Amino acid sequence: MKRLLPLLLVLLLTACGGSRDVELTVFAASSLQEALTKIGENYQAEHPGVTLVFNFDSSGTLKTQIEEGADCDIFVSAGRKQMDELDAAVAPAVNTGAPDGTGEARLDFIESNTRFNLLENNVVLAVPEGNPAGIHSFDGLKTALEFGDILLATGNSDVPVGQYTQEIFAYLGLDEASLNAAGVLTYGSNVKEVATQVSEGTADCGVVYATDAFSAGLTVVDTATAEMCAQVIYPAAALKTSKAPEKAQAFLDYLRTSEAGAVLEAMGFTPLA
């Protein structure tokens, strides 16, 4: 029995050590891919017991995946709308029109007390190197679209950057359905796809975030004003379904540090936390 005690002690310590290893799944807007990948590398170097697994896509796609039960600990959206729709503390109840007047239950995925606004981005009009189509402003874009002279890349309607583009169209007095029928619009399922279309020259220009224009090597010719579209705020929060809520909160806290903020700033974001 005495001989077994050291072995049992080793096994117990090994088991306890293994229990500290945690895998966190972070769903984040595709525009954050470079920044969060770098921040994640820094965090894991300081916290070797934590493994971060990132899923980058459009905020609309990520929201749908969360609704459908995908494993996720933290959500970082490129727009408040997608986060709000998952947050019962914010989203209004949806009336189903039932005879008894009851409404559909609110989506309740977000741990509201963990939620905060992480950063701000800008919506810009970007062109490929050399600007062959000669687009220099949103006003110039309007004229070119009305004449059917160019092809503009933008996001789908369920993608935040696509929704911001729709606001810009409304401000400029442009009808998206008419533009689409005229064949002057091309769409991407996330902002990275939009930027790629512009950088590869399959589109003459695109509406993207300033950070994506920078990472794709595009030239920014104009920036949307507050009158043209809503402020681009990225909220972050832990999910109620997280299997490691304390570790999720610890990573959210790290995102608010000066170290993480420096990475975000270096890539063109404005930290808000």
Side-chain angles (χ1 to χ4, degrees), residues 141-152 154 165 168-170 172-187:
L141 172 67
K142 176 183 179 181
T143 302
L145 287 172
E146 290 175 333
F147 276 95
D149 292 340
I150 63 163
L151 186 62
L152 170 70
T154 183
T165 304
I168 292 170
F169 283 161
L172 295 174
L174 294 168
D175 180 68
E176 183 179 3
S178 298
L179 295 174
N180 198 25
V184 296
L185 300 180
T186 179
Y187 293 91

Side-chain angles (χ1 to χ4, degrees), residues 13-142:
L13 289 173
T14 301
C16 291
S19 68
R20 290 197 297 270
D21 293 339
V22 173
E23 182 175 280
L24 289 178
T25 301
V26 181
F27 280 25
S30 58
S31 52
L32 284 167
Q33 184 166 348
E34 292 84 4
L36 279 189
T37 298
K38 177 61 177 174
I39 289 172
E41 290 171 355
N42 294 342
Y43 187 79
Q44 289 174 123
E46 296 177 17
H47 302 80
V50 177
T51 299
L52 296 170
V53 178
F54 290 105
N55 177 22
F56 295 105
D57 211 319
S58 76
S59 299
T61 297
L62 297 175
K63 169 187 166 288
T64 299
Q65 291 174 357
I66 291 170
E67 286 183 60
E68 293 176 348
D71 288 335
C72 176
D73 296 285
I74 292 170
F75 181 36
V76 188
S77 172
R80 285 178 284 206
K81 179 177 183 291
Q82 288 72 24
M83 183 73 76
D84 288 350
E85 290 173 350
L86 295 173
D87 190 349
V90 176
V94 178
N95 194 316
T96 61
D100 61 358
T102 60
E104 183 179 314
R106 300 176 182 184
L107 296 176
D108 190 16
F109 289 91
I110 301 302
E111 196 66 72
S112 297
N113 63 353
T114 70
R115 179 176 172 174
F116 66 98
N117 291 331
L118 174 62
L119 56 88
E120 182 179 3
N121 209 339
N122 288 309
V123 176
V124 301
L125 179 60
V127 299
E129 185 178 357
N131 192 8
I135 303 298
H136 299 287
S137 67
F138 279 109
D139 287 337
L141 172 67
K142 176 183 179 181

Side-chain angles (χ1 to χ4, degrees), residues 151-223:
L151 186 62
L152 170 70
T154 183
N156 294 333
S157 61
D158 65 336
V159 178
V161 75
Q163 294 161 1
Y164 294 126
T165 304
Q166 290 177 330
E167 292 180 32
I168 292 170
F169 283 161
Y171 176 84
L172 295 174
L174 294 168
D175 180 68
E176 183 179 3
S178 298
L179 295 174
N180 198 25
V184 296
L185 300 180
T186 179
Y187 293 91
S189 61
N190 58 58
V191 71
K192 293 292 184 190
E193 287 188 9
V194 178
T196 297
Q197 290 181 44
V198 180
S199 64
E200 292 181 349
T202 56
D204 297 301
C205 55
V207 178
V208 297
Y209 300 126
T211 50
D212 291 286
F214 174 78
S215 62
L218 304 178
T219 301
V220 172
V221 294
D222 205 356
T223 300

